[in-house]
Amino acid sequence: MRLTPSVILLVLANLLPVAGVIWWGWSVFSVMLLFWLENVIVGILNIPRILFASGTDNTREYSVFSRVFTAAFFTIHYGLFTFVHGAFVFSMFGGEGYREPSPHQVWQLIVEQQLYWAVAALLTSHLASLLLNYFVAGEYRTATVKQMMKKPYGRIVVLHMGIIFGGILLDILSAPLAGLVVLLLIKNIFDVRSHIREHQSLAATPPVLS
């Protein structure tokens, strides 16, 4: 594993929730909300990936119109997926008064549970990966629109379903500190492995047609 700037930022961003659980008393709901917000960040930052992907699928090149259409479709599809995921998190872990992820309630919870630094760290980590790996390192040259359309789902669905069911178990057990910390560390390891594999895959993709 190479300790690239994006990997280091990812690890640090994932360690902040561990600190939040140990020193600031974050609940299972705080952690679930934070990882749901990470889904939102990943989805938003995937839109420029789709728009600037310059690779080809079986000698097919994507027009500007097809990129914009795919980005719009992704926004709607991923947006619905994220909303349902958020509604599940709110209904399972939020308790009374928190039944749906409305912008007002989300912001209120970020302030109340002091999640802003963790949200900022996750945003910085994913934004740095986009800028350093995708644009500066040139991954956009080999990435295809199809790849970028599917990119967030494989990484998020498996990981966050595991986290949610782990969170349900911890909630039943009254959120023991050790269990929540272990869950966060597992998430960190899985995240780093997925991050490295993803960028190795893009680096190994054949170059675009001249």
Side-chain angles (χ1 to χ4, degrees):
M1 183 185 77
R2 291 180 57 202
L3 289 179
T4 62
S6 61
V7 170
I8 293 171
L9 284 172
L10 180 62
V11 171
L12 292 176
N14 275 320
L15 287 178
L16 259 179
V18 177
V21 169
I22 295 174
W23 288 301
W24 304 318
W26 285 0
S27 64
V28 173
F29 181 45
S30 300
V31 174
M32 295 299 115
L33 174 64
L34 183 62
F35 291 146
W36 176 76
L37 289 168
E38 184 180 20
N39 285 1
V40 177
I41 292 170
V42 167
I44 292 173
L45 295 183
N46 198 54
I47 295 172
R49 292 177 186 271
I50 294 172
L51 292 174
F52 288 93
S54 301
T56 59
D57 288 326
N58 299 323
T59 72
R60 175 190 175 188
E61 296 189 34
Y62 290 88
S63 65
V64 174
F65 173 79
S66 64
R67 293 180 194 178
V68 172
F69 177 81
T70 303
F73 177 80
F74 168 82
T75 302
I76 296 170
H77 188 272
Y78 188 84
L80 289 172
F81 165 80
T82 304
F83 180 81
V84 172
H85 184 179
F88 183 81
V89 167
F90 271 64
S91 63
M92 289 297 300
F93 304 105
E96 293 297 327
Y98 298 112
R99 292 302 179 189
E100 62 180 27
S102 66
H104 172 72
Q105 284 197 335
V106 170
W107 176 249
Q108 183 181 2
L109 286 165
I110 290 173
V111 174
E112 285 179 358
Q113 304 190 36
Q114 299 181 325
L115 300 178
Y116 24 78
W117 290 113
V119 173
L122 287 170
L123 175 60
T124 301
S125 170
H126 288 286
L127 185 59
S129 179
L130 172 68
L131 296 176
L132 295 176
N133 295 315
Y134 198 69
F135 289 112
V136 175
E139 287 180 353
Y140 73 94
R141 297 190 182 97
T142 56
T144 68
V145 171
K146 184 178 180 181
Q147 281 178 319
M148 295 301 100
M149 170 69 186
K150 297 189 298 183
K151 175 184 173 293
Y153 296 98
R155 180 174 174 177
I156 286 175
V157 172
V158 175
L159 174 62
H160 287 273
M161 288 303 101
I163 286 176
I164 284 176
F165 289 118
I168 292 172
L169 178 61
L170 292 176
D171 205 33
I172 293 172
L173 299 174
S174 300
L177 177 64
L180 199 49
V181 169
V182 169
L183 183 65
L184 289 167
L185 292 176
I186 291 173
K187 190 263 183 186
N188 197 352
I189 294 170
F190 189 96
D191 243 0
V192 171
R193 285 174 60 88
S194 298
H195 176 86
I196 293 171
R197 286 178 179 177
E198 171 191 313
H199 294 292
Q200 286 177 339
S201 173
L202 286 175
T205 305
V208 297
L209 298 179
S210 59

